[in-house]
Amino acid sequence: MFNEERHFEQPIRWAMVGGGRGSQIGYSHRNAATRDGLFKLVAGAFDLDPQRCRDFGENLGVDGNRCYASYKEMFEQEAQREDGIQAVSIATPNSTHYEICKAALEANLHVVCEKPITFTTEEAEELKLIAAERNRVIGVMYGYTGFPMVQQAREMVKRGDLGEIRVVNMQFAHGFHNEEYEKNDPGLKWRVSPEVSGPTYVLGDIGTHAFYLSEVMTGLEIDRLACMRQSFIESRAPLEDNAHIMMQFKGGAVGTLWASAVNAGSMHQQKIRIVGSKASIEWWDEYPNQLRYEVQGEAPRVLERGMGYLYQDAEGVASNRVGGGHAEGYFESWANLYHRFAMAFDAANRDDQAALADIWFPGIDAGIEGVRLCEKCVESADQGAAWVEYK
Ligand SMILES: NC(=O)c1ccc[n+]([C@@H]2O[C@H](COP(=O)([O-])OP(=O)(O)OC[C@H]3O[C@@H](n4cnc5c(N)ncnc54)[C@H](O)[C@@H]3O)[C@@H](O)[C@H]2O)c1
């Protein structure tokens, strides 16, 4: 059970870069980080506009003197204080992640960063190195992986309940951008601008979520892939609003991933189906408390969160906040991850490397693989959907 019981004396002094008033994802970070009392928001460079940053920060209860005009100023000023920040979350558009992450690590802060963490794998590898040198932790906000039923799926694959894994079907295909809404939506405009979004749109924005879910559930590594991508709204080119990937995994399994923002009529349609030689499982983020379990020749079953028949002793399966039958959701999943980030930051502060290694959370390696997926997809698509080696 995850709850607000204290794990250490004082909450981690925490700040945000980005996530200002009206941003899409800022509230999710604040809600998740503060849910269990493990983080306290004490400073921020929430917004590109300094006045709006201050107004918003004060409204959230942050001291106006600790609402900064830029992340650089924040890291400098906070380092001078005895009660300065210990960790920061970065929820700005993609093009800024690398430089802000790097500056945060160099200021000896633990980091939670949004995905895609950088534009290139080299940049992400560099962040990994800096973090290791300074004994700092980077969490990457693949927010769907905090769901207990995702962890149950992982455990079922690990224990061989499905037999040998043959096929992994992944998709995150919503319909919200089936027209050129970016004309009036700044949050979409930067997503379809290469200089801010990076080398991809839907692949990095949502495809990496489904991909990381499948990585967590199966542990499979891609051997090679082929990708085709399109811009159905032509003005979005070269960035894609629809993409299909075919994958061959090491060991013989195969997979597909469909990422789309033009799946008209669809909400999320983020689904992971894992097909083994004996049975299949399927998880859907719109019904996150359930996991379909289909054994060949038997009636299909729907496993429910919080029930005794799950692998309760496996990492994350019992991270319930309320008993089964109640609907836990997106915010609980995020809070579960922030709970783990806090434990990881604390373990690193105590230099307890064994404890740190024992805490499961999406870290820098998850970030690196998300960036690599985008890079390899572009490489393949640019050659007419040619097969390319993954590493
Ligand atoms: N993990 C998820 O499920 C998820 C969901 C949505 C967005 N995201 C990611 O979160 C990030 C932010 O996305 P969003 O949709 O909230 O963007 P947004 O455009 O809605 O908000 C961005 C915020 O960052 C601020 N900002 C921009 N540059 C800044 C800077 N240099 N310093 C300080 N503040 C700055 C803006 O003023 C704004 O408040 C993106 O990387 C996106 O991919 C992740």
Side-chain angles (χ1 to χ4, degrees):
M1 206 48 139
F2 273 11
N3 58 28
E4 72 279 28
E5 232 174 293
R6 279 206 200 174
H7 294 281
F8 25 85
E9 276 304 302
Q10 295 297 328
I12 295 166
R13 296 185 298 275
W14 173 66
M16 282 195 78
V17 182
R21 181 172 278 145
S23 67
Q24 192 187 113
I25 212 64
Y27 173 70
S28 297
H29 283 272
R30 288 184 290 275
N31 176 290
T34 56
R35 177 77 72 98
D36 296 339
L38 298 174
F39 291 91
K40 184 168 194 294
L41 182 68
V42 295
F46 302 105
D47 204 297
L48 274 173
D49 178 318
Q51 189 55 45
R52 218 167 39 195
C53 170
R54 194 180 175 112
D55 288 349
F56 183 60
E58 286 182 337
N59 184 280
L60 296 178
V62 176
D63 177 348
N65 296 321
R66 296 178 83 177
C67 297
Y68 298 94
S70 75
Y71 72 85
K72 284 185 184 152
E73 191 192 336
M74 176 164 81
F75 296 161
E76 273 168 27
Q77 296 292 317
E78 288 290 317
Q80 312 296 320
R81 301 177 63 112
E82 257 184 29
D83 62 350
I85 55 172
Q86 300 163 302
V88 65
S89 291
I90 300 164
T92 50
N94 305 350
S95 55
T96 60
H97 294 171
Y98 165 72
E99 61 174 52
I100 302 176
C101 250
K102 190 171 171 194
L105 293 169
E106 287 172 349
N108 283 325
L109 300 172
H110 297 294
V111 173
V112 175
C113 188
E114 268 303 347
K115 38 50 58 179
I117 184 158
T118 54
F119 278 8
T120 69
T121 46
E122 286 76 21
E123 289 168 341
E125 295 278 8
E126 187 192 338
L127 295 178
K128 179 177 178 174
L129 208 70
I130 301 172
E133 281 166 5
R134 293 174 177 259
N135 190 25
R136 298 296 85 179
V137 174
I138 304 175
V140 181
M141 207 57 223
Y142 285 114
Y144 300 97
T145 49
F147 284 113
M149 295 311 272
V150 168
Q151 301 297 331
Q152 167 71 13
R154 178 188 203 208
E155 196 62 20
M156 290 173 78
V157 172
K158 212 192 287 177
R159 293 193 194 202
D161 293 355
L162 280 62
E164 197 176 309
I165 303 307
R166 291 176 170 166
V167 179
V168 187
N169 231 306
M170 303 154 242
Q171 64 178 57
F172 195 155
H174 66 73
F176 294 113
H177 303 152
N178 67 321
E179 290 182 20
E180 206 177 350
Y181 297 115
E182 51 269 37
K183 282 183 174 159
N184 301 310
D185 178 352
L188 177 54
K189 192 170 182 352
W190 72 250
R191 280 176 164 79
V192 294
S193 310
E195 60 285 3
V196 189
S197 190
T200 66
Y201 165 36
V202 287
L203 284 162
D205 200 47
I206 51 178
T208 53
H209 277 300
F211 175 62
Y212 183 57
L213 278 166
S214 83
E215 272 194 306
V216 169
M217 291 180 189
T218 67
L220 288 172
E221 285 177 53
I222 302 180
D223 195 17
R224 48 189 216 134
L225 63 72
C227 171
M228 64 169 185
R229 59 177 190 154
Q230 305 74 30
S231 322
F232 281 104
I233 304 299
E234 285 174 12
S235 56
R236 291 174 183 163
L239 298 193
E240 77 294 339
D241 51 23
N242 189 79
H244 290 89
I245 316 174
M246 288 198 296
M247 298 168 187
Q248 288 180 338
F249 296 103
K250 289 184 179 145
V254 295
T256 56
L257 192 160
W258 178 31
S260 184
V262 295
N263 183 15
S266 150
M267 298 302 286
H268 263 195
Q269 288 280 330
Q270 182 175 210
K271 288 181 180 170
I272 313 294
R273 182 173 178 83
I274 303 168
V275 179
S277 51
K278 296 193 294 200
S280 303
I281 50 177
E282 187 167 312
W283 181 82
W284 182 353
D285 79 341
E286 293 173 35
Y287 300 91
N289 293 278
Q290 287 80 32
L291 178 69
R292 268 184 86 86
Y293 177 37
E294 303 163 358
V295 181
Q296 180 56 35
E298 297 179 15
R301 281 164 246 183
V302 177
L303 308 183
E304 292 276 349
R305 184 191 61 76
M307 298 302 290
Y309 52 70
L310 304 178
Y311 292 129
Q312 296 288 344
D313 53 338
E315 169 71 46
V317 174
S319 50
N320 304 292
R321 286 152 189 282
V322 65
H326 299 280
E328 287 192 0
Y330 166 88
F331 289 117
E332 284 72 27
S333 176
W334 274 60
N336 289 344
L337 294 182
Y338 260 100
H339 197 107
R340 291 197 176 90
F341 294 150
M343 306 308 289
F345 295 172
D346 180 58
N349 289 345
R350 291 183 285 103
D351 202 16
D352 187 343
Q353 298 300 328
L356 180 56
D358 245 16
I359 302 164
W360 180 89
F361 62 93
I364 184 62
D365 288 325
I368 292 171
E369 290 315 309
V371 177
R372 194 189 315 281
L373 182 81
C374 295
E375 272 181 351
K376 290 291 164 182
C377 284
V378 171
E379 186 183 325
S380 165
D382 284 354
Q383 299 172 59
W387 283 95
V388 296
E389 300 300 316
Y390 194 62
K391 277 191 184 166

